[in-house]
Amino acid sequence: MVPGGSQGAAAATSAQRKLKVLALHGYLQNADVFRSRTGALRKALKKHCEFVFVNAPHHIQVDLQGNDIVSCDGDDHAKCYGWWLAGPEGGPPREAKSAKGWETSLGVLEETLRREGPFDGLLGFSMGAAASALLCAAIESKRVSCHDQFKFALLFGGFVPRDPVLAESLRDAKLSIPSIHYSGLSDELVVADRSRELVGCFSEGVATFESHPQGHCIPSLREVREKCKAFVADRTNP
């Protein structure tokens, strides 16, 4: 008989379990694009994590001049999505004072947690980083019923939405999830102060703010990969 028997085998299986990470893409991206743009980071974390990439529910059609047009016909050829849309005032959703459609996205994410969870971590970029924090706030306030989710978050280019209701929900939450927040020194879309504002929505001591020398992206830099790898390794089951 093998020493330890079935209990030893169960312990070994538990020790080998990878952390499941929910990955939320940025505005005008989709799950497949986000998967391809996180290749270097995923490779660094492959020993510890498996990733589940999800499309936001709001399809955006982009015209030849680069203007965002909401598509209502279900045409999926552009494959550009958002977690919310700008309200009547228009402009880019990250600057809009109303976040049209966020409740629909929250429902999609809650269903994802039920169907594919529980999840151990979050990976979010830009609007996806903001959506990650909003999802955590909804869980902590019990607006979303799927509890026991998320031991950590890796957030790149994140921000607090301008929508006052969503902004207040984040500030009031004081999220307790350990997180790293990266901001690009050359990022002109989401400046560092906006990412620092998101850090302020987390409880003191659980969120770390980091800079990288590139723009609005998830960089493939070795120092970023290694820091994220060490951060996640600390949360891997022993």
Side-chain angles (χ1 to χ4, degrees), residues 26-209:
Y27 185 62
L28 298 181
Q29 291 186 345
N30 60 53
D32 290 338
V33 167
F34 194 37
R35 183 188 300 274
S36 69
R37 293 184 181 180
T38 57
L41 182 61
R42 287 189 294 107
K43 183 177 181 180
L45 299 178
K46 67 179 181 179
K47 178 180 177 181
H48 304 294
C49 300
E50 59 176 313
F51 294 84
V52 176
F53 291 81
V54 180
N55 278 331
H58 304 294
H59 176 226
I60 317 297
Q61 185 173 330
V62 182
D63 66 18
L64 294 178
Q65 285 72 45
N67 299 311
D68 304 347
I69 303 174
V70 179
S71 175
C72 300
D73 59 7
D75 183 6
D76 204 34
H77 73 277
K79 295 185 178 179
C80 296
Y81 299 92
W83 296 104
W84 66 82
L85 309 169
E89 74 276 12
R94 68 180 178 278
E95 302 293 345
K97 294 182 180 179
S98 59
K100 180 181 177 183
W102 166 246
E103 292 300 322
T104 299
S105 293
L106 187 59
V108 167
L109 292 172
E110 183 173 16
E111 177 57 30
T112 301
L113 299 185
R114 288 200 186 101
R115 185 179 65 249
E116 302 195 46
F119 288 89
D120 300 287
L122 281 158
L123 170 64
F125 170 66
S126 193
M127 180 184 276
S132 297
L134 288 167
L135 174 59
C136 292
I139 291 173
E140 292 202 4
S141 66
K142 296 183 169 47
R143 289 190 59 218
V144 167
S145 60
C146 301
H147 305 300
D148 299 323
Q149 309 273 345
F150 308 130
K151 300 173 183 175
F152 65 91
L154 303 173
L155 305 179
F156 292 79
F159 56 88
V160 175
R162 300 295 194 196
D163 181 293
V165 174
L166 296 187
E168 184 178 6
S169 73
L170 279 178
R171 296 188 184 106
D172 289 347
K174 287 298 177 183
L175 299 170
S176 59
I177 299 167
S179 53
I180 294 182
H181 301 249
Y182 269 98
S183 175
L185 294 174
S186 300
D187 191 340
E188 297 180 356
L189 293 178
V190 178
V191 297
D193 283 349
R194 293 202 66 186
S195 290
R196 288 186 185 277
E197 185 182 9
L198 185 60
V199 173
C201 297
F202 288 70
S203 297
E204 185 175 356
V206 303
T208 302
F209 181 85

